[in-house]
Amino acid sequence: MQAMVIDPLWESWRTSSSDRGQRIKYIILDDTWWDKVQYLLRFTEPILTMIRTFDTDMPCLGEVYESIDSMLERIREIIKANDDDPLELFYHEVKDIVTKRWNKMTTPLHLLAYALHPKYYHSKVLSLPGRTAPNKDSEVVQGYKTALRKIYRDVGMALEVREEFGAFVQSTGNFSDPLAMDDRGHMDPITWWGYHGGDSIHLSTLATRLLSQVASSSSAERNWSTYGFIHSVKRNRLGAGKAEDLVYVHSNLRLLSHSTPEYKKGPSKMWDVEPEISDLNMTLNAMSHLNLLEDVEPPVQTSAPASNILGRPSSIHDVELQYVNDEDVDPFHDM
């Protein structure tokens, strides 16, 4: 931008000599203005990083609370480092806005998932400055107690879950195994509960279901985009059931295509990464430039492996029948 306003061609622009053109040139060449821009970028970077981290189909519900808390801490450090900034009051206002949004986003379910994540009880994590176990944080304790009361209405089962939860956070019983304690910091949380949570039937089932959830509505939004593609103006006579079947089949075929060799190489490489861009070549060239196309392992949402599906499905209902067991599953149906 600075090169633009000092270029000789800038003077030939009919507005350059006007008050507006002079203000633009003054602002772009002002070092103080660029310092403010850099300050804004530093301030918003933690927010953008947090949002992009959870805008995924991967299970990450148990990490939302800790990430938002860390984001606010980074913002506090940036504000503290700029106490003499003339815009201090403005940034305190922004901090209040972020905090209010944080309080709105942080539900008891997030706190329960955070409390059930084994990583946050590992000695390596607890040794970091300012870190404490989730069960020693009053806000987290209040949150997971509220969530457990809502999930378990049966008095007997609720007591069993509380006892299992106490054994988990205190590393007693089956959780006192040194291997179980060491794996907390190295193993995937779902795998950890499947391997070490066998004796705690109710708690391990709850933890697996919670920690398997995504933290973003991106999957639902992609389904709406698919629905808009299928139920268009020219096909508005499709019934609701038929349209839902087509969306279901289209989404699962897209996921199945992730396991094919053509998805990782060739003209259809990563074809659904940026579906909003109609020019596929432009998308692929841009991603190749960013080195985002190498060694990508897309998430598999369906329970049946792709290798179990032999050949191309002959009809929509063939694919639908293969995945009928996965449709309309309520993760908390048994609770």
Side-chain angles (χ1 to χ4, degrees):
M1 293 178 67
Q2 290 179 335
M4 178 188 69
V5 297
I6 64 176
D7 192 280
L9 292 176
W10 172 265
E11 301 298 334
S12 63
W13 183 40
R14 59 184 178 86
T15 315
S16 62
S17 59
S18 64
D19 293 340
R20 177 186 178 189
Q22 291 299 320
R23 286 198 305 271
I24 293 175
K25 184 175 182 179
Y26 174 78
I27 291 173
I28 293 177
L29 296 179
D30 185 9
D31 291 338
T32 305
W33 184 80
W34 284 106
D35 291 340
K36 293 178 181 179
V37 171
Q38 292 178 356
Y39 184 23
L40 286 172
L41 292 177
R42 291 197 305 270
F43 180 82
T44 56
E45 186 271 337
I47 302 175
L48 179 61
T49 300
M50 187 275 297
I51 294 175
R52 296 197 64 177
T53 298
F54 297 108
D55 188 18
T56 175
D57 293 337
M58 300 298 292
C60 54
L61 188 66
E63 301 177 4
V64 173
Y65 177 83
E66 193 276 336
S67 296
I68 295 178
D69 199 19
S70 299
M71 176 198 71
L72 286 177
E73 185 59 33
R74 292 182 61 189
I75 292 176
R76 292 189 188 102
E77 293 175 357
I78 295 173
I79 295 175
K80 185 177 180 180
N82 292 271
D83 283 341
D84 298 330
D85 195 290
L87 298 178
E88 178 185 356
L89 294 178
F90 169 74
Y91 285 107
H92 278 296
E93 292 178 1
V94 174
K95 176 185 174 182
D96 292 338
I97 294 174
V98 174
T99 304
K100 289 179 182 178
R101 184 62 181 176
W102 174 44
N103 294 333
K104 183 177 180 180
M105 293 173 58
T106 307
T107 66
L109 202 61
H110 288 100
L111 297 173
L112 177 59
Y114 170 64
L116 291 173
H117 201 301
K119 177 178 69 175
Y120 300 117
Y121 298 91
H122 192 262
S123 57
K124 184 177 180 180
V125 176
L126 296 178
S127 63
L128 297 175
R131 292 305 302 264
T132 183
N135 65 306
K136 295 182 180 180
D137 187 320
S138 59
E139 182 181 9
V140 178
V141 171
Q142 186 62 35
Y144 69 64
K145 285 183 177 180
T146 301
L148 290 176
R149 282 196 298 267
K150 291 182 178 181
I151 295 174
Y152 296 100
R153 303 300 178 90
D154 182 81
V155 178
M157 183 177 292
L159 178 60
E160 293 181 17
V161 171
R162 290 197 298 271
E163 291 176 348
E164 293 174 357
F165 188 87
F168 166 65
V169 298
Q170 294 177 355
S171 299
T172 60
N174 188 53
F175 299 110
S176 63
D177 182 5
L179 185 61
M181 298 175 65
D182 183 63
D183 285 343
R184 287 180 171 184
H186 310 287
M187 189 176 288
D188 176 84
I190 302 173
T191 306
W192 188 91
W193 277 103
Y195 188 81
H196 297 291
D199 291 347
S200 303
I201 300 177
H202 302 302
L203 191 66
S204 62
T205 301
L206 173 64
T208 301
R209 291 179 175 180
L210 275 180
L211 298 175
S212 299
Q213 302 300 313
V214 299
S216 171
S217 61
S218 298
S219 300
E221 292 173 358
R222 275 191 284 274
N223 278 340
W224 281 113
S225 299
T226 303
Y227 191 90
F229 168 74
I230 292 173
H231 196 277
S232 61
V233 176
K234 294 183 179 180
R235 304 180 67 184
N236 57 6
R237 297 186 65 183
L238 279 175
K242 178 66 69 175
E244 291 177 1
D245 289 344
L246 290 172
V247 171
Y248 177 75
V249 171
H250 184 280
S251 299
N252 281 279
L253 288 177
R254 178 178 61 83
L255 292 175
L256 286 175
S257 72
H258 291 186
S259 60
T260 62
E262 292 78 9
Y263 187 78
K264 297 183 179 180
K265 61 181 180 179
S268 60
K269 183 178 181 180
M270 302 285 286
W271 62 272
D272 63 337
V273 172
E274 294 183 1
E276 68 275 8
I277 298 180
S278 58
D279 188 349
L280 179 61
N281 292 327
M282 181 179 67
T283 302
L284 295 177
N285 291 334
M287 296 198 66
S288 298
H289 176 69
L290 295 175
N291 296 323
L292 296 176
L293 296 176
E294 299 179 359
D295 301 328
V296 176
E297 294 294 336
V300 179
Q301 186 169 316
T302 54
S303 60
S307 58
N308 292 343
I309 301 178
L310 303 178
R312 184 183 298 276
S314 58
S315 67
I316 290 175
H317 297 287
D318 290 342
V319 179
E320 183 179 0
L321 289 175
Q322 292 168 352
Y323 293 93
V324 67
N325 293 329
D326 293 336
E327 192 174 13
D328 298 330
V329 177
D330 182 4
F332 297 96
H333 176 72
D334 298 328
M335 299 181 181

